Amino acid sequence: MFVTMNRIPVHPEYAEAFEARFRERARAVDGAPGFVRNLVLRPADPATQPYVVQTFWESRAAFEAWVESPAFREGHARAGSLPREAFRGPNELETFEVFADSERGV
């Protein structure tokens, strides 16, 4: 399994609009080959912690195919719908290979 974590620092006064954007997302990724799950985590302290958007994939190859797809571009077309001042800084994408998973017994 392959996991991405996109850390997005949002100013607290834009939190509601940011969350609405995810609730109303295009959902293009949901049907992507190899896609498993998407989680959007709200920070306990939005003034100092970023939101975290996690995606779970069957493999790194599945994630990379998604990023190169026309559906990715379509799904991210609204990415700039919030003003620049909504963010406390740039987002930070991290990627991980799963080597232990209690749900899968490994």
Side-chain angles (χ1 to χ4, degrees):
M1 184 174 290
F2 186 73
V3 179
T4 69
M5 292 177 53
N6 194 2
R7 297 176 185 279
I8 307 171
V10 177
H11 284 293
E13 59 269 24
Y14 287 94
E16 189 174 316
F18 179 82
E19 291 182 19
R21 187 176 91 188
F22 273 94
R23 281 191 212 96
E24 299 161 5
R25 67 187 179 88
R27 300 193 185 281
V29 71
D30 295 0
F35 176 75
V36 176
R37 182 179 186 186
N38 173 244
L39 295 174
V40 182
L41 308 177
R42 180 186 296 131
D45 181 3
T48 63
Q49 298 173 306
Y51 278 83
V52 177
V53 180
Q54 294 181 314
T55 59
F56 296 78
W57 299 86
E58 290 175 359
S59 66
R60 176 188 292 264
F63 169 71
E64 290 173 350
W66 160 248
V67 170
E68 297 297 322
S69 74
F72 175 86
R73 287 185 290 283
E74 178 185 313
H76 288 78
R78 294 182 343 131
S81 63
L82 291 179
R84 185 171 233 187
E85 61 269 10
F87 303 97
R88 293 185 289 108
N91 66 308
E92 184 178 323
L93 180 67
E94 300 172 329
T95 60
F96 303 89
E97 296 279 348
V98 175
F99 74 91
D101 182 346
S102 62
E103 187 172 282
R104 294 180 177 208
V106 291

